[in-house]
Amino acid sequence: MSTARPRIYRPTAANLARLAGLLRRGGLVGVPAETVYGLAADALSAEACAGIFAAKGRPGTDPLIVHLASARDLDRVAVPNAAALALAEAFWPGPLTLVLPKRPIVPDNVTSGRPTVAVRVPAQPHFRRLIRLAGRPLAAPSANPFGYISPTTAAHVRDGLAGTALSAVLDGGECPVGVESTIVDLTRPERPVLLRPGGLAAEAVERVLGLPLARPRRARLSAREAAPAPGMLTRHYSPRTPLTLHRRLDAATLAALPADEAVLLLRRPAGPASKRVRWLSKNGDLAEVARGLFGALRALDTAGWKRLHVETVEGNEGLAPAIRDRLTRAAARREA
Ligand code: TXA
Ligand code: MG
């Protein structure tokens, strides 16, 4: 295994053609999505996709999302139904992943042996262009080592996956959404299930479907157990520094914290600035909070603090459930 860091490529026509060639030959490429950066490979090649699991240290029980250039290609990899077509029409390209019965062309390791496949059309134009140039769907999980904070810049990917088989990252700038896609299971379209809150509000999905989304209680599983419900690990997205979540961090609580502990707030606090207090938006705007969340956690995680204190969000609308989900998992205690 190489110890070299992957190289970052600007999204020029020549670079896109070159990275598409790498993907066609079974290679790995770090890709910008509108949500977070992905680690992409040819979704129709079991061998190429095995490289994704190896580079991330991801257990084979956690299936991958298949990315398409256009909703017209859905039928190639999955068996669509009316509900899926309605959601695709309303929200693709965009941060929505649909779980549907799979076609045999999708290798078993992509779906962890399941009869279903997770599919989406990403909104990031360079990523979509790369899928088109590669001429095949691309499987891509988030481009972080398994369990660590998801990457939202090309540099995060390069630094996190140095020393793996990944040699190239396509630079699309900072991800505008900042949290992963919303995942909806439509295997039984009469009972749609929200598997992961994400960058698209669940209520927007419910409006198009005309049905409420079922929300399974999260299974508590350690990374080593075979996961019956994939992606439901309690601990995920986690900084190495211990993290405590707070409903509200007021000035008195802040003042009482030890000097070697840092704080991440949703909105700018009143009072003077200090080195150990960061905030995600001026006024608590949740799109801004989501966009900056993973980057801020990474920056704090590498700054040598003893503990991070993070304010969580309330509410069940818009991006609030996705942000709270990521923070709750980041704060979960490391399991044995
Ligand atoms: O925004 C995103 O979704 C990003 C970008 C790169 O597109 N990707 C991403 O992938 O977040 P990842 O691997 O971090 O999350 C994929 C999750 C799995 O953990 C699992 O929860 C779910 O998708 N998944 C995939 N296939 C599934 C299936 N057949 N049934 C149920 N869930 C599935
Ligand atoms: Mg992930």
Side-chain angles (χ1 to χ4, degrees), residues 33 35-38 58 62-65 67 97 99 114 116-118 120 140-142 180-181 183 195-196 230-231:
T35 50
V36 301
Y37 273 73
R58 180 174 177 115
D62 195 3
L64 309 177
I65 295 175
H67 296 75
T97 296
V99 174
R114 290 167 172 265
T116 56
V117 61
R120 82 180 190 100
S142 50
E180 294 84 346
S181 60
I183 305 182
L195 293 182
R196 177 174 76 185

Side-chain angles (χ1 to χ4, degrees), residues 53 58-63 111-112 114 223-231:
F53 289 93
R58 180 174 177 115
T61 48
D62 195 3
T111 64
S112 302
R114 290 167 172 265
R224 276 169 231 292
E225 278 178 272

Side-chain angles (χ1 to χ4, degrees), residues 9-228:
Y9 291 84
R10 286 185 306 115
T12 61
N15 283 342
L16 283 163
R18 174 184 191 150
L19 297 179
L22 179 55
L23 288 162
R24 278 198 301 273
R25 293 193 301 277
L28 300 174
V29 174
V31 293
E34 74 279 34
T35 50
V36 301
Y37 273 73
L39 178 59
D42 177 354
L44 305 183
S45 160
E47 203 185 331
C49 290
I52 294 178
F53 289 93
K56 275 191 64 117
R58 180 174 177 115
T61 48
D62 195 3
L64 309 177
I65 295 175
V66 173
H67 296 75
L68 307 173
S70 156
R72 284 190 298 276
D73 300 330
L74 178 59
D75 205 52
R76 278 183 78 194
V77 295
V79 184
N81 49 44
L85 295 177
L87 291 179
E89 171 71 27
F91 301 118
W92 283 354
L96 173 67
T97 296
L98 302 177
V99 174
L100 290 166
K102 83 186 241 329
R103 301 273 186 208
I105 195 176
V106 180
D108 282 337
N109 64 345
V110 170
T111 64
S112 302
R114 290 167 172 265
T116 56
V117 61
V119 196
R120 82 180 190 100
V121 178
Q124 217 286 350
H126 303 305
F127 182 14
R128 267 216 325 284
R129 179 100 194 282
L130 185 64
I131 304 173
R132 206 164 267 135
L133 287 171
R136 60 209 70 200
L138 298 180
S142 50
N144 47 315
F146 184 70
Y148 194 60
I149 305 163
S150 299
T152 50
T153 66
H156 292 161
V157 181
R158 177 194 60 200
D159 298 346
L161 294 176
T164 71
L166 178 70
S167 62
V169 184
L170 177 62
D171 193 355
E174 195 179 343
C175 300
V177 176
V179 292
E180 294 84 346
S181 60
T182 300
I183 305 182
V184 175
D185 186 348
L186 288 177
T187 319
R188 288 169 53 205
E190 71 287 0
R191 188 182 177 275
V193 183
L194 179 68
L195 293 182
R196 177 174 76 185
L200 178 68
E203 61 270 20
V205 174
E206 292 174 327
R207 242 178 276 129
V208 170
L209 290 177
L211 283 173
L213 292 172
R215 290 160 167 82
R217 278 195 63 77
R218 189 186 300 150
R220 298 195 150 262
L221 294 167
S222 85
R224 276 169 231 292
E225 278 178 272

